[in-house]
Amino acid sequence: MSRWKALPGELDPRVRQLVVRLRRLKDHSGLSLRQLAAKTGYSASSWERYLGGRSLPPREAVEAMARIGGADPTRLLALHEVAAEAWGEGRADTSAPEGSDAPEASEATGTASAAGAAHTVEVVGALQAAGADDTGPYNLAAPNEETRHGRSLRVALVAGAVALVLAVSSAVLLAVRLTDGDSRASATPLGSATSSVSPSPSPSGPRTYACEVERIDGRWYAGNSRTRDAVLAEGLAGPEVAEAQCLLRRAGFAPGVVDGIFGPHTKSAVEQLQKRAGLVVDGIIGRHTWGALRR
């Protein structure tokens, strides 16, 4: 198993998700960087930049990696679309010269950004599965005069659908948080049969979550989320993070206060769990790390 260097801390979570997926496919293939270069047509130094989070791989390189790793290229290309959008936003913010590999997107830390990125992946994946052409900002194939108007219409439709999904998801997330806050403010029985409960938050202090750990169908759950494949990284927040913190505590690791915020203590606990479970130690919770937490 490869020992990967830690990704840049300021890397956008949407780009980080793509890079982590590419790293796992590379490990699964068992190829060295030189062998990978020979099979894809991209140099070993280019793959070193792509897999290190210092440069965004082109669409063709991502598709080639999917074929080599035996993965579904549609989903991987959808991740690339979202990562390309985040990378483009970072380039605009830093006013870097066009074509440079150096800029890195800043990491989104809000819950709404995480939810919006996940919904963007689903929308783009659905459009690609339906046969839509690539209309992302890194598509280098210039349309001819006959197809320019049709492509512009598709771009407008994709942008409108993504904006609508982001608006709806933000509204739903806000409503869920308000409802959840009201329900948790009510009295809770002290003699619960489940494990310990974190103290209730003060009116002006940070929020804390309950850890109601129980085993269902051979898996551990803490009552905050039932997800088994949500991708969580440092800087994100929400009930999924709280669920992971509770399960890290159950496994004997110290993520800090169960506040639903993925901070340095939570990342350190995740890395310790990954090391013990024999997984890639990257401090990011994905499907395999969830499996280790739920077991």
Side-chain angles (χ1 to χ4, degrees):
M1 182 178 296
S2 300
R3 299 291 296 179
W4 294 103
K5 293 182 179 179
L7 292 172
E10 65 273 16
L11 194 64
D12 189 283
R14 291 167 286 180
V15 181
R16 183 185 297 270
Q17 184 177 2
L18 174 65
V19 174
V20 169
R21 190 65 59 86
L22 291 175
R23 284 182 171 187
R24 289 175 179 171
L25 288 175
K26 191 264 184 188
D27 288 341
H28 180 71
S29 69
L31 299 177
S32 66
L33 289 179
R34 291 183 178 275
Q35 293 171 329
L36 192 61
K39 285 182 173 292
T40 62
Y42 293 87
S43 66
S45 60
S46 295
W47 277 113
E48 185 176 3
R49 291 196 303 274
Y50 302 155
L51 298 174
R54 293 184 286 114
S55 180
L56 184 72
R59 176 187 175 88
E60 292 77 9
V62 173
E63 191 171 7
M65 178 67 86
R67 290 197 304 268
I68 291 173
D72 181 12
T74 301
R75 181 172 179 81
L76 201 61
L77 291 175
L79 291 176
H80 179 267
E81 286 289 331
V82 177
E85 180 182 355
W87 193 273
E89 292 172 358
R91 290 162 60 92
D93 290 341
T94 56
S95 300
E98 188 172 353
S100 172
D101 284 339
E104 296 173 338
S106 61
E107 182 174 2
T109 59
T111 307
S113 297
H119 281 291
T120 302
V121 171
E122 294 175 2
V123 170
V124 175
L127 289 172
Q128 290 184 337
D133 291 336
D134 177 25
T135 57
Y138 284 78
N139 180 20
L140 301 181
N144 57 34
E145 194 65 30
E146 296 178 354
T147 61
R148 184 173 302 162
H149 295 294
R151 188 176 295 273
S152 298
L153 178 59
R154 286 193 293 272
V155 170
L157 290 174
V158 171
V162 170
L164 178 60
V165 170
L166 289 177
V168 172
S169 61
S170 298
V172 171
L173 183 62
L174 178 60
V176 169
R177 280 194 173 258
L178 290 175
T179 304
D180 189 49
D182 292 340
S183 63
R184 289 184 181 276
S186 59
T188 302
L190 296 179
S192 175
T194 56
S195 64
S196 61
V197 178
S198 299
S200 299
S202 62
S204 59
R207 177 179 180 177
T208 55
Y209 289 81
C211 291
E212 302 176 356
V213 180
E214 59 181 338
R215 195 164 179 84
I216 303 174
D217 295 333
R219 295 186 177 89
W220 291 104
Y221 295 91
N224 294 302
S225 173
R226 299 183 68 84
T227 183
R228 292 165 59 188
D229 57 5
V231 177
L232 304 177
E234 186 175 9
L236 300 182
E240 292 82 5
V241 177
E243 178 79 3
Q245 290 173 327
C246 290
L247 295 180
L248 284 168
R249 278 190 173 185
R250 190 211 64 80
F253 301 102
V257 179
V258 181
D259 55 5
I261 300 175
F262 201 124
H265 294 297
T266 300
K267 181 179 180 181
S268 176
V270 170
E271 290 174 343
Q272 294 175 39
L273 171 72
Q274 291 173 331
K275 183 177 181 180
R276 188 177 74 179
L279 303 174
V280 176
V281 181
D282 54 11
I284 299 174
I285 300 178
R287 182 189 307 170
H288 299 294
T289 304
W290 276 116
L293 287 170
R294 297 291 190 195
R295 285 198 297 269

